Each structure stands twice: as structure tokens, then as C-alpha cells.
Amino acid sequence: MNTAINFGNVSFKYGSLPVLENADFTINQGDFISILGPNGGGKTTLAKLILGLHDPDSGRIAVNGKTPRQMRDKIGYVPQYSLFDPNLPVSVKDVVLMGRIRNFFVGYSRRDKDYAAKAMESVGIGDLSTTSFSALSGGQRQRVLIARALATEPEILLLDEPTANVDAAIEYKMSAMLKELKKKMTVLLITHDLGFVSELVDKVVCVNRRVHIHPTSGITEEHIRELYNENMKIVRHDIKEEKI
Amino acid sequence: MISDFFAALLNPAIPFIRYAFLAGILSSIPFGIIGTWVTIKRISYLAGAIAHSVLAGIGISLYLSTKYNLEWLHPLLGALGSAVAAALIIGLVSIYAKDREDTIIGAIWATGMSLGLLFIAKTPGYINPMTYLFGNILIIAKTDLFILIILDIVIVILGFLFYYQFQAITFDEEFARIRGIKTNIFYILLLLMTAITVVLMTTIIGIVMVIALLTLPAAIAGFFAKKIWLIMVISVGLTAIFTSSGLMISYITDLPAGSTIILISGLAYLVSVLIKKIIL
């Protein structure tokens, strides 16, 4: 199996504050990975290292065998929708087309528009194309950002907390959508919610300054406790009426 | 009364009113385009600092041209020079030292004005700084119109060429960078275009008030239009209407033109807020 992402002893600090220490793991192509950890544990930093927005202080990162900067246009990044100015006057189509932007070009080509249309169809927002981004619900905005990432023709999809602030029904739809995407590309999903899409996940990358990688079945209460530094119990959604 | 204004426009004996009218119309295009980006990117305080720094360039060029007889050194050129310098400094600071941005903006704002006033004070003969701070349509000459036309063309071409890139960095700068867009270069380019635009209207509106004419039309248009290009088109129209009606009213009532134009813009903004709140 080919390697999608390889971290070789990577450390990263913000100023003097260590965020990641000796992260050393490999993600295979086609894997569905959940990146899990407490807030401030370094999940988003890990994502920014993969995208080449930060450079590691030590260690080496390879994405599909190349540097993150060389490969970052093959990564479809889906940031948290809540970070956007809700009053910005752009339509859904405008946002999705941003996945096709270049430094020098005279407007979007037929091909760009086709890719954008296909991406919108694939996440079920084809009928919203001319709607203003600000008029959408949280779940719809999230799907627009996924469509924008898909319009870039990514080999790796990287989603940052896609289910933050969305309700259970949308979470369910989202997991069905991710199931489809899993067939086509490597998916990295940053989340603090282990229950979400647990059936799809091949491996879990636990990030709390140190990074561990586990197959989903190998996750134990001990791992979780170590990750969150507190006494947490696993609530298994797949087993009903369990006595705790 | 209104007919007096139109008669004045055509009267060859008083060209300044015609020049001011043409300058207003010519400026409305870059004001609509750049004002829209400044408003939706929420960088009007940056534009404010750039506008105020313009006095430094005006003061220095007035001083040098009078003292050393450099006739080619037009105050507009000085204004352009200091606006561009301010835009570069602010741009670099906001890219590389974001946490100091507001300090630097304040510093450029005030030191620019101080520098300008010092040079104006030392310039032989008497120059009233009020002329530049609050605008004076009497100082507009034919040369200004030619400079305006050239700047117009530059802004319109760049505005068309990089519309989508500006849109992308306004919406999500980080994503644009991941897509390989030179976001820092486009950001500085946008600030430079803002600098040029601000300079266009300093002679009529004045340094202190020009920022209102840059942002209010786009803010009004933003209430009613939900597409960036449409906001631009409406802003261009509004700017042209505000400057020409302001000029007309100021001529008829014998009030300062710059203040009249800004008051009309402010009033129009207030009315559109009310319309938006009550009707829509």
C-alpha cells in the first residue's frame, strides 16, 4: 500500500510553547483517518503542518513522497465554516469556484465550471448554486466548503471539525457523504467527537502534544484517558443498554 | 437655481467647476471598485491611515517645488508617493507583524499629518493646510484631470484582471494560499490600489473626509446587492451621484463642496439603513 502522509520525528513549537513532540506516524493512501484530541492539543497545528502552512522545527514530513508545499494543491482542505464573515456577499457557486483559482487567468473556464458543478452535485447542493453563502444554514455551509475542496480534484481530503455546531440529522448526512468520498480518496477528519463516523474510520490519530496512531478496534479506555488526561468512559454507540 | 449650476458648468470663464465635476465623475469608477473591496474586507481603518499620510507627501512636494523651483513636482505626485509608501508599510506590517498593526496604523496616521504640516509651515509663501485637509475645488487644474484619467485606467484594468483573486483572499486567505495563490502580493496590490484611489479625491473632498466617500457607497450598495460586482456597479453610480449632486448643492448654496458631498453620502447611508430596517 502506498504512503499518503509520513511524519518522521516531527516537533513544532509556537515560540517557546511546544505543540507537537516527536510525532512519528504513517497514513496509507485510501485510509480514513480520524484525528482526535482535546482542544489545544495540536490537532489544527498537525493539519497546518500537512498543508505546509507551518514548517516543522525538526523532523520531516512527506505527503505522497513530496514536501507539503509541493503537494498542497492535491489536498482538499475544509476549514471550520464558523470562521467566515457571514456578511460577505458571495454565492455558493462563487465559493466552490474558489477551488479552481489560479494566480493568472482570465476568468473561470468551462472546465472549471464543470468541476464546480460536479462537486456541488456530489454533496447535494446543486440547487443552491446561486444562493448567497450567508443565507445558508451551518450544515449547508459546511457542504459548500466540502464542495470547494472537492473542486480542487484532491487526492487527500482534510476536514477540520466538520460537525462542530451542527445537529444530529446533519451529522448523519455528513457521515453518509464521507462514506462515499472514502471510496475515492484518503480522508483525514479532525474531530473531538470519537463517536462520529466511527464505523468508517480505519485508524485514529490521537494528538495531545504527543501523537499516537491506533487501529479503531484497538482504542481502549486507557488510551482515551491518556489523551484527555482525565477519567473518561467510552460510551459505545453500537451497544445498547449497557450497564455502566 | 439648478440652471445656474448647469450654466456654470458650461461657462468657459469658470473652468474649475467643470473640472471638479469631471473629477467627481472620473473618480467614481475606482472609488466604486476599491471602496467595495475595502468595505467587504473591513480594512477601512487601513485606508484611513493611508489617506491621512497623504498630507506628508503633499507638504514635502509643496516645499521642494517652491523652494527649489521644481515645477514638475505636483502635490498630487507627492500625495501618491506617500500613499504608496504608507500602503507598503501597513501591508508588510499586517503580513509579518499582525500584533503591531493597530499601533503602526495610528503612527502612520498621525506622523504623516505632522510631517505634512511641518513642511507646509516651512514652505515659502502662505499655504492654507485647510485646502488639503478638507478639500478645495478651486485648486483642480486640467493636469489633475489627466492624472485622474491615467489612474482610472490603471485601477480599472487591475480591478478586472484580479477580481477573482481579490474575492478569494477576502473570503478565505488561507485556502487561497493553499491553492498556490500569492496572497501577500495580492493583499499589497489591493492596498496600493486603495492608496492610488484615495489620492484621486483628496483635492476635492480632502484628506480627512475622503474615507467616507470610499466606504459609504459600498456600504449602501451592500444592503441591497448580494454580489460583489453588483455592489461595485451600484457604488460607482452612487459615488457619481453624490459627488455631482454635492457639487451642485454647494455651488447653489455657496457651501464647501467636500463637506456637502460627504454629508449627502452620510444622509443617504442613514436613509438606506432606515429603509433596510423598516421595509426590508
Side-chain angles (χ1 to χ4, degrees):
Chain A
M1 208 181 272
N2 288 324
T3 301
I5 292 168
N6 179 262
F7 271 53
N9 265 315
V10 171
S11 296
F12 181 79
K13 290 183 190 136
Y14 276 117
S16 59
L17 185 77
V19 187
L20 288 177
E21 280 176 2
N22 298 322
D24 196 88
F25 62 91
T26 301
I27 291 168
N28 291 324
Q29 281 179 7
D31 271 354
F32 193 113
I33 303 289
S34 182
I35 300 173
L36 191 71
N39 288 330
K43 298 190 299 278
T44 300
T45 304
L46 190 76
K48 292 195 170 177
L49 286 165
I50 293 171
L51 290 164
L53 293 171
H54 292 327
D55 294 318
D57 293 321
S58 63
R60 218 179 42 81
I61 301 169
V63 180
N64 285 0
K66 295 185 179 156
T67 68
R69 265 169 222 269
Q70 285 168 327
M71 278 307 295
R72 70 179 167 197
D73 63 331
K74 294 286 168 212
I75 304 175
Y77 179 49
V78 183
Q80 296 182 30
Y81 74 85
S82 55
L83 303 174
F84 294 96
D85 178 356
N87 293 318
L88 203 75
V90 285
S91 69
V92 167
K93 197 171 78 186
D94 290 337
V95 175
V96 176
L97 276 169
M98 285 174 200
R100 309 291 306 176
I101 193 131
R102 299 179 283 283
N103 276 311
F104 295 102
F105 71 136
V106 192
Y108 293 107
S109 66
R110 175 91 258 150
R111 193 163 168 268
D112 292 331
K113 287 174 186 162
D114 288 345
Y115 268 102
K118 219 161 59 182
M120 284 189 276
E121 283 304 327
S122 72
V123 298
I125 52 163
D127 52 333
L128 294 175
S129 136
T130 55
T131 312
S132 176
F133 186 71
S134 58
L136 303 179
S137 70
Q140 287 170 325
R141 283 184 205 183
Q142 195 67 66
R143 279 191 279 166
V144 173
L145 297 182
I146 295 174
R148 180 181 66 165
L150 294 177
T152 69
E153 304 173 69
E155 291 173 16
I156 298 168
L157 190 65
L158 173 55
L159 304 103
D160 193 354
E161 301 271 5
T163 53
N165 312 313
V166 298
D167 62 37
I170 290 166
E171 224 175 79
Y172 179 76
K173 267 191 206 161
M174 192 88 71
S175 99
M177 211 166 67
L178 292 176
K179 196 171 182 174
E180 281 306 304
L181 294 172
K182 177 187 157 108
K183 295 173 188 161
K184 296 175 203 150
M185 57 195 84
T186 311
V187 180
L188 307 180
L189 177 78
I190 297 177
T191 180
H192 57 265
D193 175 10
L194 185 59
F196 175 58
V197 297
S198 54
E199 49 160 336
L200 300 174
V201 176
D202 298 311
K203 282 178 193 158
V204 178
V205 173
C206 297
V207 187
N208 191 7
R209 206 159 62 155
R210 297 191 167 276
V211 179
H212 300 288
I213 189 160
H214 310 280
T216 330
S217 54
I219 295 264
T220 63
E221 233 165 73
E222 207 172 311
H223 286 128
I224 299 293
R225 202 173 300 135
E226 189 190 331
L227 185 61
Y228 287 94
N229 295 325
E230 60 197 91
N231 202 359
M232 286 181 82
K233 294 256 184 213
I234 290 183
V235 178
R236 298 199 53 178
H237 299 274
D238 51 341
I239 300 172
K240 300 247 151 82
E241 293 192 31
E242 192 186 21
K243 281 179 190 135
I244 297 171
Chain B
M1 292 237 288
I2 291 173
S3 59
D4 289 348
F5 175 72
F6 288 107
L9 268 184
L10 299 170
N11 186 347
I14 39 172
F16 69 88
I17 190 88
R18 190 162 59 246
Y19 292 162
F21 181 78
L22 288 173
I25 299 293
L26 283 172
S27 313
S28 63
I29 297 166
F31 262 66
I33 295 173
I34 298 300
T36 300
W37 289 125
V38 166
T39 308
I40 63 176
K41 203 167 164 46
R42 297 173 191 268
I43 52 168
S44 56
Y45 57 104
L46 295 188
I50 293 172
H52 285 76
S53 78
V54 158
L55 194 65
I58 290 174
I60 293 170
S61 53
L62 283 172
Y63 176 80
L64 293 176
S65 64
T66 322
K67 188 106 178 171
Y68 301 104
N69 267 327
L70 305 173
E71 270 183 29
W72 56 269
L73 194 53
H74 194 280
L76 259 185
L77 288 176
L80 200 58
S82 56
V84 164
L88 284 175
I89 295 170
I90 291 173
L92 292 173
V93 166
S94 88
I95 290 167
Y96 296 107
K98 188 79 185 166
D99 50 328
R100 306 254 168 81
E101 194 185 30
D102 65 329
T103 313
I104 302 289
I105 286 168
I108 287 180
W109 193 300
T111 53
M113 293 195 82
S114 320
L115 201 62
L117 284 173
L118 283 185
F119 275 100
I120 288 174
K122 284 291 165 195
T123 301
Y126 176 71
I127 294 160
N128 186 355
M130 286 285 279
T131 298
Y132 296 101
L133 291 176
F134 300 102
N136 184 348
I137 58 168
L138 290 173
I139 57 171
I140 298 168
K142 216 173 203 166
T143 350
D144 298 61
L145 292 183
F146 287 120
I147 297 176
L148 274 179
I149 290 173
I150 293 167
L151 296 181
D152 256 14
I153 294 170
V154 171
I155 296 288
V156 169
I157 290 176
L158 292 176
F160 264 105
L161 216 51
F162 298 123
Y163 177 87
Y164 291 112
Q165 288 88 342
F166 290 148
Q167 185 187 53
I169 64 166
T170 302
F171 182 73
D172 186 351
E173 196 258 336
E174 192 174 66
F175 186 85
R177 189 148 24 114
I178 294 167
R179 298 309 310 148
I181 299 298
K182 304 282 177 211
T183 52
N184 290 345
I185 291 176
F186 282 111
Y187 180 56
I188 292 200
L189 180 66
L190 187 60
L191 288 183
L192 289 176
M193 290 164 73
T194 307
I196 296 173
T197 305
V198 161
V199 170
L200 293 176
M201 285 296 266
T202 45
T203 38
I204 300 181
I205 305 289
I207 288 164
V208 177
M209 299 183 290
V210 72
I211 198 68
L213 193 66
L214 193 62
T215 53
L216 289 177
I220 295 169
F223 284 143
F224 308 104
K226 289 293 165 234
K227 282 190 170 301
I228 294 175
W229 63 265
L230 191 57
I231 294 179
M232 286 178 178
V233 172
I234 297 174
S235 303
V236 170
L238 287 175
T239 312
I241 291 169
F242 294 159
T243 52
S244 38
S245 64
L247 212 55
M248 185 174 79
I249 292 171
S250 77
Y251 181 81
I252 294 168
T253 56
D254 196 22
L255 290 168
S259 322
T260 313
I261 292 168
I262 296 302
L263 275 180
I264 289 172
S265 316
L267 209 61
Y269 179 73
L270 200 64
V271 169
S272 43
V273 170
L274 292 176
I275 291 175
K276 173 91 178 164
K277 286 263 180 236
I278 295 166
I279 300 173
L280 299 175

